[in-house]
Amino acid sequence: MRKIVECIPNFSEGRRTEVIDEIVAAIKTVPGAVLLDRESDADHNRSVVTFVAPPDRVIDAALAAAKKAAELIDLNDHKGEHPRMGATDVIPFVPISGVTMDDCVQLARQCGERMWRELSIPVYLYEKAATRPERENLAAIRKGQFEGIRDEIATKQARLPDFGEARVHPTAGITAVGARPPLIAYNVNLGTSDIEIANKIARAVRHLSGGLRYVKALGFELKDRGIVQVSMNMVNYEGTPLFRAFEMIKREAERYGVPVLGSEIVGLVPQSALNAVADFYLQLENFSENQILEHRLQATTEEVQE
Amino acid sequence: MRKIVECIPNFSEGRRTEVIDEIVAAIKTVPGAVLLDRESDADHNRSVVTFVAPPDRVIDAALAAAKKAAELIDLNDHKGEHPRMGATDVIPFVPISGVTMDDCVQLARQCGERMWRELSIPVYLYEKAATRPERENLAAIRKGQFEGIRDEIATKQARLPDFGEARVHPTAGITAVGARPPLIAYNVNLGTSDIEIANKIARAVRHLSGGLRYVKALGFELKDRGIVQVSMNMVNYEGTPLFRAFEMIKREAERYGVPVLGSEIVGLVPQSALNAVADFYLQLENFSENQILEHRLQATTEEVQE
């Protein structure tokens, strides 16, 4: 099987397109790195870049992007709705094929070590790469943002970086590097304009307030459609599959007499997350992904090529 | 996109493994042909071989197999539960990627022409490649089997082959060559031992007796589990998707107070058939297969290679 790691660095710039152009160009200079997606949000003043690469190239590509971001972004001038602490704010490594989560944890560590050594940017390790439980959650690490961390890092033990000295980079701040499963942005639309119902259902379904372990959720208004939605991040779709969150929301909505109008996947979704949905609703017995024609084709083609 | 045609020839031999070994070996001699699956049934005395190949190689591979089958199988000595008329009984061509149904119809015609010219085996064209409506249905063409066709082909106008003279090959009989969409073998298991309920539901769901257009169905006993099943061939999963047949069976079973225990896919299933299931049950809005990570990966990889 071809070894592929996905990397989704987030940059603290969502307005100057030319900056993101240069960052993306830096990624593309690394042989084997392939850009899948880029999205910028002006209100958040933040961009999310998605690329894949073989494990022995993915760190080079991430560092090339971080180097360019450090040259072009100064956090002292940055304002936006989204919390941030670094020019390159986060670098997650995600196992896609032929690599394990442990491999991605190792990649995160190597990347963090090089961030400091080559770019003088200190690093916190987060999620599966975290060195202590309180650093698993990115929001907890980033509390106080660039300015807060800058002022506390030298004096608060809990703020010490995993790599680098106890001071932020004067303009590029500090970066969280980690490993995590693929994340799915998944929203369920409700047939009501009452935002309180979306908020209540979001609280019921999300982990933070007692719901499903791998779900983050918020209520959200879709003003142009006159409806509301439960907007979710499915942070581990094997642990908490799409259909389970969907069914739970449907049941909670019934309690308010509100219909589910539909749901939507924003951005990319791994094929196996959809296959699990088909498996659940068709109540499949003994189904294996090896029965999928395209899987078999790919396996046999790779056999021939090897 | 890589051009791939699937070919699923059926051979009238399900007991002598060495015969199928030689047929499979003949397919593998053709460069580009990749074996996906082989299944033999001793009661049916029949084997189903599945392979894929580029369009410019798939006929060579099918003919190599048919030639070997003609050498090793004599229909005059063949007995089995499954109806048959040729040593190579049927050769369907199925569009998988980068080819259309029309392309497969052309392939079926070229293959039929060469079957007669190179192997002296006459050919009926069937399904999408049929030259008249009454030849779309394979069962109608094969009525009377090898012996019946042998005795009638010279005298009955309706029995005239599409390629070749009006006589069967003395030992290899006559072959049906056609084009069709991918077929999915799909069974739904019911929580009862009453075969009559499975039969009634099969009649409700199948096209022949007024049901769904692209469904063939039979009731079937699973004696070892003490239950019954509705066994289906989904002959066009885009026209009649899996979830629609499943939901209809579930509803019909309710009417007898019988639960659906589960369902099963036998053999291979195209990925898009499962994606349609996920799309239906999650009520997805504006979903595109281009959002599937693996699709995007493949597209970008091909981009790079081109």
Side-chain angles (χ1 to χ4, degrees):
Chain A
M1 204 178 347
R2 210 155 47 116
K3 292 187 177 187
I4 301 174
V5 177
E6 189 185 25
C7 183
I8 310 102
N10 289 211
F11 303 97
S12 297
E13 176 59 63
R15 293 166 193 167
R16 294 177 298 161
T17 313
E18 67 278 14
V19 169
I20 305 305
D21 287 346
E22 287 204 45
I23 290 171
V24 164
I27 292 170
K28 287 182 173 172
T29 61
V30 176
V34 177
L35 184 78
L36 293 189
D37 200 25
R38 56 180 278 186
E39 280 178 52
S40 295
D41 187 291
D43 293 334
H44 286 186
N45 200 5
R46 186 179 184 88
S47 295
V48 178
V49 174
T50 307
F51 69 93
V52 288
D56 57 349
R57 298 291 193 171
V58 71
I59 296 175
D60 289 342
L63 287 175
K67 182 162 188 272
K68 188 55 70 178
E71 287 168 26
L72 302 176
I73 299 170
D74 183 345
L75 280 186
N76 300 286
D77 301 332
H78 180 276
K79 285 205 164 27
E81 281 179 31
H82 199 288
R84 81 289 177 266
M85 60 184 186
T88 302
D89 200 52
V90 293
I91 304 179
F93 294 98
V94 174
I96 297 296
S97 83
V99 293
T100 64
M101 184 60 79
D102 277 348
D103 295 334
C104 285
V105 168
Q106 292 306 322
L107 289 171
R109 287 185 188 151
Q110 289 165 31
C111 180
E113 195 270 327
R114 287 180 57 187
M115 282 284 283
W116 172 250
R117 183 156 46 86
E118 298 176 19
L119 306 180
S120 302
I121 299 170
V123 162
Y124 294 123
L125 293 171
Y126 81 109
E127 286 227 11
K128 299 288 185 192
T131 51
R132 42 192 122 161
E134 64 272 23
R135 290 210 177 152
E136 284 177 27
N137 188 330
L138 183 63
I141 294 174
R142 201 163 46 200
K143 207 174 168 192
Q145 302 190 49
F146 171 65
E147 295 78 5
I149 298 168
R150 181 190 60 200
D151 298 343
E152 292 185 356
I153 192 168
T155 52
K156 283 206 176 171
Q157 184 69 22
R159 291 289 203 183
L160 274 185
D162 287 296
F163 294 104
E165 295 171 13
R167 52 178 171 79
V168 302
H169 185 286
T171 58
I174 186 165
T175 299
V177 179
R180 62 162 174 80
L183 178 150
I184 304 170
Y186 182 53
N187 304 328
V188 177
N189 297 330
L190 306 177
T192 175
S193 60
D194 185 348
I195 184 65
E196 256 319 293
I197 292 177
N199 286 336
K200 280 181 188 161
I201 295 177
R203 278 195 293 273
V205 78
R206 76 178 166 219
H207 184 238
L208 193 68
S209 45
L212 297 165
R213 173 154 182 186
Y214 297 111
V215 175
K216 299 179 181 183
L218 282 174
F220 215 75
E221 277 186 88
L222 302 186
K223 290 205 175 127
D224 49 335
R225 290 176 66 183
I227 62 172
V228 298
Q229 98 182 162
V230 179
S231 178
M232 290 178 283
N233 272 335
M234 309 291 295
V235 299
N236 177 345
Y237 68 87
E238 288 176 338
T240 307
L242 292 177
F243 60 81
R244 196 155 294 143
F246 179 73
E247 286 294 323
M248 188 167 166
I249 290 171
K250 209 156 70 166
R251 184 64 193 83
E252 295 284 326
E254 260 177 36
R255 179 242 174 281
Y256 302 104
V258 167
V260 164
L261 300 183
S263 73
E264 55 178 347
I265 290 165
V266 183
L268 300 178
V269 60
Q271 183 63 70
S272 62
L274 294 181
N275 291 341
V277 173
D279 181 85
F280 176 78
Y281 285 106
L282 295 181
Q283 302 172 225
L284 290 178
E285 297 180 2
N286 303 318
F287 181 71
S288 146
E289 290 198 329
N290 197 34
Q291 289 179 254
I292 298 170
L293 184 65
E294 285 80 354
H295 266 245
R296 194 73 66 90
L297 268 176
Q298 208 188 349
T300 50
T301 311
E302 281 169 1
E303 232 168 71
V304 169
Q305 288 171 341
E306 273 164 12
Chain B
M1 205 182 337
R2 210 155 46 116
K3 291 186 179 188
I4 300 175
V5 177
E6 188 185 25
C7 184
I8 311 101
N10 289 210
F11 302 97
S12 296
E13 176 59 62
R15 292 166 194 168
R16 293 178 298 162
T17 312
E18 66 278 13
V19 169
I20 306 306
D21 287 347
E22 285 202 44
I23 290 171
V24 164
I27 292 170
K28 287 183 174 172
T29 62
V30 176
V34 176
L35 183 78
L36 292 188
D37 201 24
R38 57 180 279 187
E39 280 180 51
S40 296
D41 187 290
D43 294 335
H44 286 186
N45 201 5
R46 187 181 183 87
S47 296
V48 178
V49 174
T50 307
F51 69 93
V52 288
D56 57 348
R57 296 294 193 170
V58 71
I59 296 176
D60 290 341
L63 287 176
K67 182 163 189 273
K68 189 54 74 180
E71 286 168 24
L72 301 177
I73 299 170
D74 183 347
L75 278 186
N76 299 284
D77 301 333
H78 180 275
K79 283 202 165 26
E81 280 179 32
H82 199 289
R84 82 287 178 267
M85 61 183 185
T88 302
D89 200 53
V90 293
I91 304 179
F93 294 98
V94 174
I96 297 296
S97 83
V99 293
T100 64
M101 184 61 77
D102 277 348
D103 296 334
C104 285
V105 168
Q106 292 305 323
L107 289 171
R109 287 185 188 152
Q110 291 165 29
C111 180
E113 195 269 327
R114 288 179 58 187
M115 282 284 282
W116 172 250
R117 182 155 49 83
E118 299 177 20
L119 306 179
S120 302
I121 299 169
V123 161
Y124 295 123
L125 292 171
Y126 82 108
E127 287 226 8
K128 300 287 187 193
T131 52
R132 41 192 125 160
E134 63 272 24
R135 291 210 176 151
E136 284 178 27
N137 188 330
L138 182 63
I141 294 175
R142 200 163 47 197
K143 208 175 169 193
Q145 302 190 47
F146 170 64
E147 294 79 3
I149 297 168
R150 181 191 58 199
D151 298 344
E152 292 185 354
I153 193 167
T155 53
K156 283 207 177 173
Q157 185 68 25
R159 290 287 204 184
L160 275 184
D162 287 297
F163 293 105
E165 295 171 11
R167 54 178 168 79
V168 302
H169 184 287
T171 56
I174 186 163
T175 300
V177 180
R180 62 163 174 79
L183 177 152
I184 305 170
Y186 182 54
N187 304 326
V188 178
N189 296 328
L190 305 178
T192 176
S193 59
D194 186 346
I195 183 65
E196 256 319 294
I197 293 178
N199 287 335
K200 280 181 188 161
I201 295 177
R203 279 195 294 273
V205 78
R206 76 178 168 220
H207 184 240
L208 193 67
S209 45
L212 298 165
R213 174 155 184 186
Y214 298 112
V215 175
K216 299 180 181 181
L218 281 174
F220 214 77
E221 277 187 87
L222 303 185
K223 291 205 173 125
D224 50 333
R225 290 176 66 182
I227 62 171
V228 299
Q229 93 182 168
V230 179
S231 178
M232 291 177 283
N233 273 336
M234 309 291 295
V235 299
N236 178 342
Y237 67 85
E238 287 175 341
T240 307
L242 292 176
F243 60 81
R244 198 155 293 143
F246 179 74
E247 285 294 323
M248 189 169 166
I249 290 171
K250 209 157 70 167
R251 183 63 192 83
E252 295 284 326
E254 258 177 37
R255 178 243 174 280
Y256 303 104
V258 166
V260 164
L261 300 183
S263 74
E264 54 179 347
I265 290 164
V266 184
L268 300 177
V269 59
Q271 183 64 69
S272 61
L274 294 181
N275 291 342
V277 172
D279 182 83
F280 176 78
Y281 285 106
L282 294 181
Q283 302 170 224
L284 290 178
E285 297 180 2
N286 303 318
F287 182 70
S288 145
E289 289 200 329
N290 197 33
Q291 289 180 255
I292 298 170
L293 183 65
E294 284 81 355
H295 267 246
R296 192 73 67 91
L297 268 177
Q298 209 187 348
T300 49
T301 310
E302 281 167 5
E303 230 168 75
V304 169
Q305 287 170 343
E306 270 163 22

